[in-house]
Amino acid sequence: HVQLVESGGDSVEAGGSLRLSCLASGPPYTHKYMAWFRRAPGNAREGVAAIDTGDGSTYYLNSVEGRYTISHDNAKNTLYLQMNSLKPEDTAIYYCAADRGVCPQLSRPEDWIYWGQGTQVTVSS
């Protein structure tokens, strides 16, 4: 059984930075693939960034590439999302997700088995 617990959400001004964390329980093979999704009010959940914790490959939503960095600390079993140059349109609840399957897609939330409870990020203009 895998549990994901996010932290780090906050309110910041446009141009600011935040770092989200997601602590994962369970053996590493149960969450080989990890990702961050977000859901803004009135919008569908969208994949923001993903990582293969085995080889370190990363994937990003076009609108955040260059501003966001996903990383994983294997020793701490923790996923991170460093968010820089934040914009008001980045405001959303951010969720940590994990899967052990075959290449879950960032564009397909239904591919991901395990989900955290979410953490709120608010960016003011």
Side-chain angles (χ1 to χ4, degrees):
H1 180 67
V2 176
Q3 284 191 316
L4 304 174
V5 180
E6 304 101 330
S7 61
D10 205 344
S11 296
V12 296
E13 293 185 350
S17 297
L18 282 175
R19 188 176 81 156
L20 305 183
S21 300
C22 173
L23 177 63
S25 66
Y29 77 86
T30 61
H31 46 278
K32 182 177 188 298
Y33 303 97
M34 299 192 75
W36 290 98
F37 286 76
R38 66 185 180 188
R39 176 179 282 162
N43 290 357
R45 190 172 297 194
E46 66 175 355
V48 172
I51 187 168
D52 179 334
T53 63
D55 65 15
S57 300
T58 57
Y59 310 88
Y60 294 94
L61 181 69
N62 284 346
S63 62
V64 307
E65 191 151 20
R67 299 189 298 122
Y68 288 14
T69 302
I70 189 170
S71 61
H72 183 261
D73 186 326
N74 290 336
K76 296 182 179 179
N77 243 2
T78 301
L79 180 73
Y80 301 100
L81 185 67
Q82 178 66 44
M83 304 185 294
N84 299 327
S85 302
L86 283 163
K87 305 175 181 180
E89 52 264 41
D90 294 319
T91 294
I93 300 174
Y94 283 71
Y95 298 89
C96 175
D99 195 84
R100 58 181 172 182
V102 180
C103 295
Q105 297 298 305
L106 199 55
S107 59
R108 291 171 50 87
E110 61 270 28
D111 285 353
W112 300 79
I113 298 176
Y114 306 111
W115 292 86
Q117 81 288 351
T119 186
Q120 177 71 48
V121 172
T122 303
V123 185
S124 59
S125 56

